Amino acid sequence: GVQLGKGVTLGDGIMLGKWVTLGDRVKLGNCIKLGNCVTLGDEVKLGNEVTLGDEVKLGNRVTLGDWVKLGNRVTLGDWVKLGDGVSIVSGSVPVVYITGKWPMHPYAPGQVRLGCFRGSYQELFDRTDAQWEGKGYNSSERGYVLEILRFFTSIERRVFAV
């Protein structure tokens, strides 16, 4: 069955799969779909129209924006924040684990900002320091984002190689 922690807040139009566990003080927006065996840690916040596939695991204090989609078996560590429209598809990587190891945010050590980007990875690799700063990223955040992009680029080469 479904296990709800203390102080859970649910919006309208919530669909919960089997064996879902919600930690304490979880806040779910409207039109949320959680697959089977989903586990949300304490103080997780989901925006509106979020879809989580089967066996998704979110650590404590994770925040997902509106229209976020996570495929099956995606795992996010504590303090991760994904912006509106981010999608992590299960088919390309069996397990994606993004953890807050690097201090990125002055009020939440280890919090990571990832947003939705439409364009080629090379466009991001070619950005100057001033362009990154203009988008609101400091040097630590820029390094982390580029590290993630290098990881995804290496996976694409292996997964989609002909």
Side-chain angles (χ1 to χ4, degrees):
V2 175
Q3 296 180 356
L4 300 178
K6 297 175 185 174
V8 171
T9 305
L10 303 175
D12 294 327
I14 305 292
M15 294 175 57
L16 302 177
K18 297 176 185 177
W19 306 293
V20 169
T21 302
L22 305 180
D24 294 340
R25 297 171 301 285
V26 167
K27 294 183 181 180
L28 303 183
N30 298 316
C31 301
I32 303 292
K33 182 179 179 188
L34 304 182
N36 297 320
C37 301
V38 169
T39 302
L40 306 184
D42 295 336
E43 299 181 34
V44 169
K45 295 177 186 172
L46 304 185
N48 297 310
E49 299 188 38
V50 171
T51 302
L52 304 183
D54 295 338
E55 300 178 37
V56 168
K57 293 180 179 26
L58 304 183
N60 298 319
R61 296 175 188 88
V62 170
T63 301
L64 304 183
D66 295 337
W67 311 292
V68 170
K69 291 184 173 110
L70 301 181
N72 297 337
R73 294 177 300 282
V74 171
T75 299
L76 301 177
D78 296 345
W79 290 102
V80 173
K81 182 175 184 180
L82 300 180
D84 294 348
V86 171
S87 180
I88 300 177
V89 182
S90 63
S92 59
V93 184
V95 175
V96 174
Y97 184 73
I98 301 173
T99 183
K101 290 189 219 174
W102 296 273
M104 303 279 177
H105 193 283
Y107 305 112
Q111 181 168 325
V112 175
R113 275 189 309 127
L114 294 177
C116 186
F117 176 74
R118 301 193 193 293
S120 73
Y121 291 158
Q122 192 60 47
E123 186 179 331
L124 293 174
F125 287 126
D126 293 341
R127 278 189 183 166
T128 65
D129 291 347
Q131 288 171 317
W132 280 103
E133 289 172 12
K135 298 287 185 183
Y137 289 85
N138 65 35
S139 61
S140 296
E141 290 173 320
R142 177 181 66 242
Y144 183 69
V145 169
L146 291 175
E147 185 175 330
I148 290 172
L149 290 176
R150 280 190 285 278
F151 171 73
F152 285 131
T153 302
S154 72
I155 289 172
E156 280 184 351
R157 285 189 201 119
R158 286 191 304 249
V159 172
F160 300 109
V162 179

